[in-house]
Amino acid sequence: MSKEIKRVAVFTSGGDAPGMNAAIRAVVRTASFNNLHVYGIQRGYEGMIDGNLKRLEPRDVGNIIHRGGTILRTARSERFRSPEGRRSAYESLLAYDIDACIAIGGDGTFTGANIFSKEYDIPFIGVPGTIDNDLYGTDFTIGFDTAVNTAIEAVDKIRDTADSHNRLFFVEVMGRHAGFIALNTGIGSGAESVLIPETETSIESLIETLKKGAKRQKLFSLVIVAEGNKLGNANQVADMVKERFSYYDTKVTIIGHLQRGGAPTAIDRVLASRLGFAAVEGLLKGQKNVMAGIINDKISYTPLEDTISKPKELNEDLLRLAEVLAI
Ligand code: F6P
């Protein structure tokens, strides 16, 4: 029989994502509603190793639902990759009598949680918090919608100046291994082409697309480049295009970490609130070592193992849409 859960720890880990605070708030309040004690761990696995835990009450998470970043701070922990690091983390959790952990983060966070859950008997529930939207087991991750909105707002501004000067802009967005941000930004900002890690695009076919646009009297062009795409970063792609096609004056903008900050959108606040709530409810109903997600508007729980080992497929319809609408 599983141990009764009375004390839960929550932490954020890996790259921060707008909406993580709303998720922390939902975890703390749902847990308190169910008479559980909640502890916040500072800086993810780093704080777990160092025993940096602090009691969180419902009022401690007031006035944070609208804030970007994470009040618990975050880190990418090298130490947690080692058995010694994980042993220290386990000892910290024992010292605080923690019965279960709620991990808000992305694939790196869940990889750590998955290894830990095989070594030690403390259940973990994952909450998908990453702007990349690259986790199997949920339609959307917390922070993705805000990041895409930020990127689109930036591209709208670039569009103005690109139009004024007849320029070709390569705009680099985040996504080391996934093209969700790039694809949605491309569609939402009316870009000419989108380069993503999941598909092959040759420099020749990109130039062909740009040439066709120029023939159709397009006065300027926008190409969205996911940082992990196979042709190279935005500067490299821009250089390759410039060498072969000099019709437009070419510029590069890298949006970078702007995409990680800022107030979460309504969609991210609601998603984070639902998932934080689902994480605690799931624990109370006996779920363990799973990620709470939303699929087709319904809460679902997916083994942590699957969230990191199974690829999240891009929607083929969106790929086609981006191409068709760019004529
Ligand atoms: O995983 C989220 C993410 O924002 C990626 O899109 C990006 O490649 C990476 O984190 C950047 O990480 P860091 O902030 O550690 O440089």
Side-chain angles (χ1 to χ4, degrees), residues 15-16 76 107 130-132 174-176 181 227 257 260:
D16 60 355
R76 298 193 193 274
D107 56 350
T130 164
I131 64 165
D132 292 348
M174 279 188 163
R176 272 177 301 196
I181 297 178
E227 59 180 346
H257 286 79
R260 288 253 294 269

Side-chain angles (χ1 to χ4, degrees), residues 204-217:
E204 290 75 25
S205 71
L206 174 60
I207 291 171
E208 211 32 58
T209 306
L210 294 169
K211 279 188 178 161
K212 275 189 197 150
K215 257 200 207 133
R216 283 191 216 107
Q217 325 289 292

Side-chain angles (χ1 to χ4, degrees), residues 40-229:
I41 305 176
Q42 290 284 320
R43 300 193 68 236
Y45 293 120
E46 285 290 293
M48 197 184 283
I49 292 169
D50 295 334
N52 199 347
L53 283 77
K54 204 179 126 223
R55 182 80 194 272
L56 287 176
E57 303 278 3
R59 295 280 69 74
D60 295 325
V61 290
N63 204 22
I64 65 167
I65 193 167
H66 60 300
R67 281 167 53 189
T70 156
I71 60 160
L72 293 176
R73 316 179 78 80
T74 187
R76 298 193 193 274
S77 176
E78 270 309 311
R79 289 191 292 162
F80 198 74
R81 289 177 196 269
S82 73
E84 299 74 37
R86 293 193 293 277
R87 154 80 29 203
S88 304
Y90 176 65
E91 282 164 5
S92 304
L93 296 177
L94 283 190
Y96 281 85
D97 264 334
I98 300 298
D99 303 311
C101 286
I102 296 179
I104 307 170
D107 56 350
T109 305
F110 298 164
T111 301
N114 192 39
I115 297 171
F116 186 88
S117 67
K118 288 186 177 134
E119 294 171 342
Y120 301 105
D121 192 21
I122 294 188
F124 269 67
I125 303 274
V127 172
T130 164
I131 64 165
D132 292 348
N133 199 32
D134 58 348
L135 288 167
Y136 178 90
T138 190
D139 289 342
F140 296 104
T141 58
I142 298 164
F144 170 67
D145 185 65
T146 307
V148 171
N149 275 287
T150 300
I152 287 179
E153 209 183 312
V155 179
D156 285 350
K157 291 178 178 161
I158 291 166
R159 169 181 279 278
D160 289 344
T161 177
D163 183 18
S164 308
H165 288 265
N166 290 13
R167 280 178 171 159
L168 162 61
F169 268 84
F170 290 87
V171 183
E172 186 175 299
V173 296
M174 279 188 163
R176 272 177 301 196
H177 310 294
F180 294 95
I181 297 178
L183 184 55
N184 283 270
T185 301
I187 293 171
S189 63
E192 197 66 35
S193 186
V194 181
L195 304 181
I196 53 177
E198 294 87 340
T199 59
E200 296 278 350
T201 311
S202 66
I203 201 74
E204 290 75 25
S205 71
L206 174 60
I207 291 171
E208 211 32 58
T209 306
L210 294 169
K211 279 188 178 161
K212 275 189 197 150
K215 257 200 207 133
R216 283 191 216 107
Q217 325 289 292
K218 288 202 178 190
L219 297 177
F220 67 96
S221 246
L222 302 167
V223 177
I224 308 299
V225 182
E227 59 180 346
N229 89 90

Side-chain angles (χ1 to χ4, degrees), residues 243-300:
E243 261 176 36
R244 299 172 168 80
F245 179 59
S246 54
Y247 177 79
Y248 297 109
D249 180 18
T250 302
K251 297 280 172 187
V252 173
T253 300
I254 297 169
I255 305 181
H257 286 79
L258 274 178
Q259 292 156 98
R260 288 253 294 269
T265 58
I267 286 181
D268 274 329
R269 295 179 199 197
V270 174
L271 177 67
S273 301
R274 289 181 76 185
L275 292 176
F277 170 85
V280 176
E281 285 238 309
L283 259 183
L284 292 171
K285 289 181 182 152
Q287 292 283 356
K288 59 178 188 175
N289 308 326
V290 294
M291 179 191 81
I294 296 183
I295 300 176
N296 292 332
D297 209 27
K298 292 263 174 309
I299 297 291
S300 72

